[in-house]
Amino acid sequence: MTAAALQRYPGATPWRMTAADYLPAAYTGTALLGTPTRTPWDESLGESMRRTGRAVMEERLLDRLIADLGTAGAR
């Protein structure tokens, strides 16, 4: 399921799917196939993807995702 499709569910928000998360990892990504779709939660994300032409998989942000989980568990 895409992040855009998740927006249909009440309370669902993309996690680590903003231009601020994407751009530092873009150089590690692979060539973007197809046309980036609209990113209503962060319009600059789609623009950044079109500009760089790179796709960044979640695995590239694994350290940040794990750190987020640790922080959430400490609450």
Side-chain angles (χ1 to χ4, degrees):
M1 180 175 294
T2 67
L6 286 173
Q7 294 293 291
R8 290 182 250 163
Y9 295 91
T13 56
W15 177 31
R16 290 286 182 188
M17 296 195 74
T18 66
D21 298 307
Y22 167 81
L23 286 169
Y27 73 93
T28 69
T30 59
L32 184 64
L33 301 177
T35 304
T37 60
R38 190 169 165 266
T39 53
W41 62 91
D42 181 359
E43 290 293 340
S44 63
L45 174 59
E47 293 168 19
S48 296
M49 293 177 76
R50 281 186 286 282
R51 189 173 57 250
T52 64
R54 309 298 290 175
V56 177
M57 302 302 149
E58 294 88 349
E59 294 83 4
R60 299 290 182 189
L61 299 175
L62 191 56
D63 290 342
R64 289 184 187 173
L65 297 173
I66 291 171
D68 287 349
L69 290 173
T71 302
R75 293 182 196 166

